[in-house]
Short mmCIF file of all heavy atoms in Angstrom, two decimals:
data_model
loop_
_atom_site.label_atom_id
_atom_site.label_comp_id
_atom_site.label_asym_id
_atom_site.label_seq_id
_atom_site.Cartn_x
_atom_site.Cartn_y
_atom_site.Cartn_z
N VAL F 92 -7.88 2.82 4.85
CA VAL F 92 -6.78 1.90 5.03
C VAL F 92 -6.39 1.28 3.69
O VAL F 92 -7.27 0.95 2.87
CB VAL F 92 -7.16 0.74 5.99
CG1 VAL F 92 -5.90 -0.04 6.39
CG2 VAL F 92 -7.91 1.19 7.23
N LEU F 93 -5.07 1.10 3.50
CA LEU F 93 -4.60 0.34 2.33
C LEU F 93 -3.75 -0.80 2.86
O LEU F 93 -2.80 -0.56 3.64
CB LEU F 93 -3.80 1.21 1.41
CG LEU F 93 -3.22 0.56 0.14
CD1 LEU F 93 -4.37 0.20 -0.83
CD2 LEU F 93 -2.20 1.42 -0.55
N ALA F 94 -4.05 -2.02 2.47
CA ALA F 94 -3.22 -3.20 2.87
C ALA F 94 -2.55 -3.76 1.64
O ALA F 94 -3.12 -3.78 0.54
CB ALA F 94 -4.13 -4.25 3.50
N ILE F 95 -1.32 -4.21 1.81
CA ILE F 95 -0.50 -4.69 0.69
C ILE F 95 0.18 -5.99 1.10
O ILE F 95 0.69 -6.14 2.21
CB ILE F 95 0.59 -3.64 0.32
CG1 ILE F 95 -0.04 -2.30 0.05
CG2 ILE F 95 1.40 -4.08 -0.86
CD1 ILE F 95 0.86 -1.13 0.32
N ALA F 96 0.21 -6.97 0.13
CA ALA F 96 0.91 -8.22 0.37
C ALA F 96 1.65 -8.64 -0.90
O ALA F 96 1.23 -8.32 -2.00
CB ALA F 96 -0.11 -9.31 0.75
N CYS F 97 2.74 -9.35 -0.70
CA CYS F 97 3.57 -9.82 -1.86
C CYS F 97 3.79 -11.33 -1.76
O CYS F 97 4.01 -11.86 -0.66
CB CYS F 97 4.94 -9.16 -1.85
SG CYS F 97 4.88 -7.40 -1.91
N TYR F 98 3.79 -11.96 -2.94
CA TYR F 98 3.93 -13.43 -2.98
C TYR F 98 4.85 -13.77 -4.13
O TYR F 98 4.70 -13.29 -5.26
CB TYR F 98 2.53 -14.03 -3.28
CG TYR F 98 2.44 -15.49 -3.34
CD1 TYR F 98 2.03 -16.29 -2.25
CD2 TYR F 98 2.71 -16.17 -4.55
CE1 TYR F 98 1.96 -17.65 -2.33
CE2 TYR F 98 2.60 -17.57 -4.64
CZ TYR F 98 2.20 -18.28 -3.51
OH TYR F 98 2.12 -19.65 -3.60
N THR F 99 5.90 -14.53 -3.81
CA THR F 99 6.83 -14.95 -4.86
C THR F 99 7.51 -16.26 -4.44
O THR F 99 7.57 -16.59 -3.27
CB THR F 99 7.89 -13.80 -5.11
OG1 THR F 99 8.63 -14.12 -6.31
CG2 THR F 99 8.82 -13.61 -3.94
N ASP F 100 7.98 -17.01 -5.46
CA ASP F 100 8.62 -18.34 -5.20
C ASP F 100 7.75 -19.23 -4.34
O ASP F 100 8.25 -19.96 -3.46
CB ASP F 100 9.98 -18.12 -4.51
CG ASP F 100 11.00 -17.46 -5.45
OD1 ASP F 100 10.86 -17.67 -6.66
OD2 ASP F 100 11.89 -16.73 -4.95
N GLY F 101 6.46 -19.14 -4.55
CA GLY F 101 5.53 -20.07 -3.84
C GLY F 101 5.15 -19.71 -2.41
O GLY F 101 4.56 -20.50 -1.71
N HIS F 102 5.54 -18.51 -1.97
CA HIS F 102 5.12 -18.11 -0.61
C HIS F 102 5.07 -16.60 -0.45
O HIS F 102 5.67 -15.86 -1.25
CB HIS F 102 6.06 -18.71 0.44
CG HIS F 102 7.52 -18.39 0.19
ND1 HIS F 102 8.08 -17.19 0.47
CD2 HIS F 102 8.52 -19.13 -0.34
CE1 HIS F 102 9.34 -17.17 0.14
NE2 HIS F 102 9.65 -18.34 -0.37
N PHE F 103 4.36 -16.18 0.57
CA PHE F 103 4.31 -14.78 0.87
C PHE F 103 5.67 -14.31 1.43
O PHE F 103 6.35 -15.12 2.05
CB PHE F 103 3.20 -14.47 1.92
CG PHE F 103 1.83 -14.65 1.35
CD1 PHE F 103 1.06 -15.77 1.63
CD2 PHE F 103 1.30 -13.69 0.52
CE1 PHE F 103 -0.21 -15.93 1.10
CE2 PHE F 103 0.04 -13.82 -0.07
CZ PHE F 103 -0.73 -14.96 0.26
N THR F 104 6.01 -13.09 1.14
CA THR F 104 7.33 -12.60 1.64
C THR F 104 7.35 -12.58 3.17
O THR F 104 6.34 -12.28 3.79
CB THR F 104 7.63 -11.18 1.10
OG1 THR F 104 6.56 -10.32 1.47
CG2 THR F 104 7.75 -11.21 -0.44
N GLU F 105 8.52 -12.89 3.73
CA GLU F 105 8.68 -12.86 5.16
C GLU F 105 8.67 -11.41 5.69
O GLU F 105 8.07 -11.10 6.68
CB GLU F 105 10.04 -13.50 5.56
CG GLU F 105 10.07 -15.00 5.35
CD GLU F 105 9.18 -15.74 6.31
OE1 GLU F 105 9.13 -15.34 7.51
OE2 GLU F 105 8.49 -16.67 5.90
#
Side-chain angles (χ1 to χ4, degrees):
V92 192
L93 180 70
I95 305 152
C97 302
Y98 181 96
T99 191
D100 293 331
H102 53 77
F103 289 104
T104 56
E105 289 292 319

